[in-house]
PDB file of all heavy atoms in Angstrom:
ATOM      1  N   HIS P   9       1.563  18.196 -30.545  1.00 89.00           N
ATOM      2  CA  HIS P   9       2.062  18.860 -31.744  1.00 89.00           C
ATOM      3  C   HIS P   9       3.442  18.308 -32.068  1.00 89.00           C
ATOM      4  O   HIS P   9       4.350  18.339 -31.239  1.00 89.00           O
ATOM      5  CB  HIS P   9       2.158  20.375 -31.505  1.00 89.00           C
ATOM      6  CG  HIS P   9       0.868  21.074 -31.742  1.00 89.00           C
ATOM      7  ND1 HIS P   9       0.425  21.418 -32.993  1.00 89.00           N
ATOM      8  CD2 HIS P   9      -0.085  21.497 -30.878  1.00 89.00           C
ATOM      9  CE1 HIS P   9      -0.751  22.025 -32.900  1.00 89.00           C
ATOM     10  NE2 HIS P   9      -1.077  22.079 -31.623  1.00 89.00           N
ATOM     11  N   ALA P  10       3.592  17.778 -33.266  1.00 90.00           N
ATOM     12  CA  ALA P  10       4.864  17.197 -33.690  1.00 90.00           C
ATOM     13  C   ALA P  10       4.874  17.126 -35.204  1.00 90.00           C
ATOM     14  O   ALA P  10       3.817  17.044 -35.846  1.00 90.00           O
ATOM     15  CB  ALA P  10       5.050  15.799 -33.097  1.00 90.00           C
ATOM     16  N   PRO P  11       6.047  17.141 -35.812  1.00 90.00           N
ATOM     17  CA  PRO P  11       6.126  16.942 -37.259  1.00 90.00           C
ATOM     18  C   PRO P  11       5.568  15.578 -37.652  1.00 90.00           C
ATOM     19  O   PRO P  11       5.532  14.648 -36.849  1.00 90.00           O
ATOM     20  CB  PRO P  11       7.632  17.026 -37.542  1.00 90.00           C
ATOM     21  CG  PRO P  11       8.215  17.761 -36.380  1.00 90.00           C
ATOM     22  CD  PRO P  11       7.377  17.374 -35.202  1.00 90.00           C
ATOM     23  N   LEU P 440       1.449  22.710 -26.467  1.00 92.00           N
ATOM     24  CA  LEU P 440       2.724  22.432 -25.823  1.00 92.00           C
ATOM     25  C   LEU P 440       3.110  23.566 -24.883  1.00 92.00           C
ATOM     26  O   LEU P 440       2.859  24.732 -25.161  1.00 92.00           O
ATOM     27  CB  LEU P 440       3.826  22.252 -26.874  1.00 92.00           C
ATOM     28  CG  LEU P 440       3.626  21.114 -27.873  1.00 92.00           C
ATOM     29  CD1 LEU P 440       4.809  21.060 -28.834  1.00 92.00           C
ATOM     30  CD2 LEU P 440       3.451  19.784 -27.169  1.00 92.00           C
ATOM     31  N   THR P 490       1.794  27.660 -30.437  1.00 78.00           N
ATOM     32  CA  THR P 490       2.151  26.838 -29.293  1.00 78.00           C
ATOM     33  C   THR P 490       3.668  26.796 -29.207  1.00 78.00           C
ATOM     34  O   THR P 490       4.357  27.266 -30.116  1.00 78.00           O
ATOM     35  CB  THR P 490       1.574  25.410 -29.448  1.00 78.00           C
ATOM     36  OG1 THR P 490       1.790  24.687 -28.240  1.00 78.00           O
ATOM     37  CG2 THR P 490       2.219  24.666 -30.604  1.00 78.00           C
ATOM     38  N   ALA P 491       4.173  26.301 -28.092  1.00 83.00           N
ATOM     39  CA  ALA P 491       5.628  26.215 -27.947  1.00 83.00           C
ATOM     40  C   ALA P 491       6.210  25.325 -29.047  1.00 83.00           C
ATOM     41  O   ALA P 491       5.542  24.450 -29.591  1.00 83.00           O
ATOM     42  CB  ALA P 491       5.984  25.669 -26.573  1.00 83.00           C
ATOM     43  N   GLU P 492       7.471  25.562 -29.372  1.00 89.00           N
ATOM     44  CA  GLU P 492       8.134  24.809 -30.433  1.00 89.00           C
ATOM     45  C   GLU P 492       8.225  23.331 -30.051  1.00 89.00           C
ATOM     46  O   GLU P 492       8.688  22.991 -28.964  1.00 89.00           O
ATOM     47  CB  GLU P 492       9.540  25.364 -30.654  1.00 89.00           C
ATOM     48  CG  GLU P 492      10.258  24.794 -31.849  1.00 89.00           C
ATOM     49  CD  GLU P 492       9.680  25.251 -33.170  1.00 89.00           C
ATOM     50  OE1 GLU P 492       8.997  26.309 -33.204  1.00 89.00           O
ATOM     51  OE2 GLU P 492       9.909  24.544 -34.161  1.00 89.00           O
ATOM     52  N   PRO P 493       7.786  22.423 -30.936  1.00 90.00           N
ATOM     53  CA  PRO P 493       7.902  20.999 -30.617  1.00 90.00           C
ATOM     54  C   PRO P 493       9.346  20.595 -30.349  1.00 90.00           C
ATOM     55  O   PRO P 493      10.254  21.005 -31.058  1.00 90.00           O
ATOM     56  CB  PRO P 493       7.359  20.316 -31.881  1.00 90.00           C
ATOM     57  CG  PRO P 493       6.475  21.335 -32.527  1.00 90.00           C
ATOM     58  CD  PRO P 493       7.129  22.647 -32.235  1.00 90.00           C
ATOM     59  N   GLY P 494       9.547  19.816 -29.319  1.00 92.00           N
ATOM     60  CA  GLY P 494      10.875  19.348 -28.950  1.00 92.00           C
ATOM     61  C   GLY P 494      10.792  18.564 -27.664  1.00 92.00           C
ATOM     62  O   GLY P 494       9.756  18.558 -26.982  1.00 92.00           O
ATOM     63  N   VAL P 495      11.854  17.893 -27.293  1.00 94.00           N
ATOM     64  CA  VAL P 495      11.849  17.022 -26.120  1.00 94.00           C
ATOM     65  C   VAL P 495      11.436  17.786 -24.869  1.00 94.00           C
ATOM     66  O   VAL P 495      10.597  17.317 -24.084  1.00 94.00           O
ATOM     67  CB  VAL P 495      13.221  16.357 -25.931  1.00 94.00           C
ATOM     68  CG1 VAL P 495      13.267  15.585 -24.614  1.00 94.00           C
ATOM     69  CG2 VAL P 495      13.536  15.432 -27.100  1.00 94.00           C
ATOM     70  N   THR P 497       9.652  20.550 -24.502  1.00 95.00           N
ATOM     71  CA  THR P 497       8.245  20.974 -24.488  1.00 95.00           C
ATOM     72  C   THR P 497       7.309  19.779 -24.406  1.00 95.00           C
ATOM     73  O   THR P 497       6.261  19.845 -23.760  1.00 95.00           O
ATOM     74  CB  THR P 497       7.926  21.827 -25.729  1.00 95.00           C
ATOM     75  OG1 THR P 497       8.248  21.092 -26.921  1.00 95.00           O
ATOM     76  CG2 THR P 497       8.733  23.114 -25.717  1.00 95.00           C
ATOM     77  N   TRP P 498       7.659  18.681 -25.040  1.00 96.00           N
ATOM     78  CA  TRP P 498       6.825  17.470 -24.927  1.00 96.00           C
ATOM     79  C   TRP P 498       6.839  16.947 -23.486  1.00 96.00           C
ATOM     80  O   TRP P 498       5.795  16.556 -22.952  1.00 96.00           O
ATOM     81  CB  TRP P 498       7.322  16.391 -25.884  1.00 96.00           C
ATOM     82  CG  TRP P 498       7.049  16.684 -27.331  1.00 96.00           C
ATOM     83  CD1 TRP P 498       5.913  17.240 -27.859  1.00 96.00           C
ATOM     84  CD2 TRP P 498       7.913  16.428 -28.433  1.00 96.00           C
ATOM     85  NE1 TRP P 498       6.030  17.348 -29.221  1.00 96.00           N
ATOM     86  CE2 TRP P 498       7.246  16.852 -29.608  1.00 96.00           C
ATOM     87  CE3 TRP P 498       9.184  15.877 -28.560  1.00 96.00           C
ATOM     88  CZ2 TRP P 498       7.808  16.743 -30.880  1.00 96.00           C
ATOM     89  CZ3 TRP P 498       9.759  15.758 -29.819  1.00 96.00           C
ATOM     90  CH2 TRP P 498       9.071  16.191 -30.969  1.00 96.00           C
TER      91      TRP P 498
END
Side-chain angles (χ1 to χ4, degrees):
H9 276 279
L440 300 181
T490 188
E492 188 70 22
V495 173
T497 56
W498 289 320

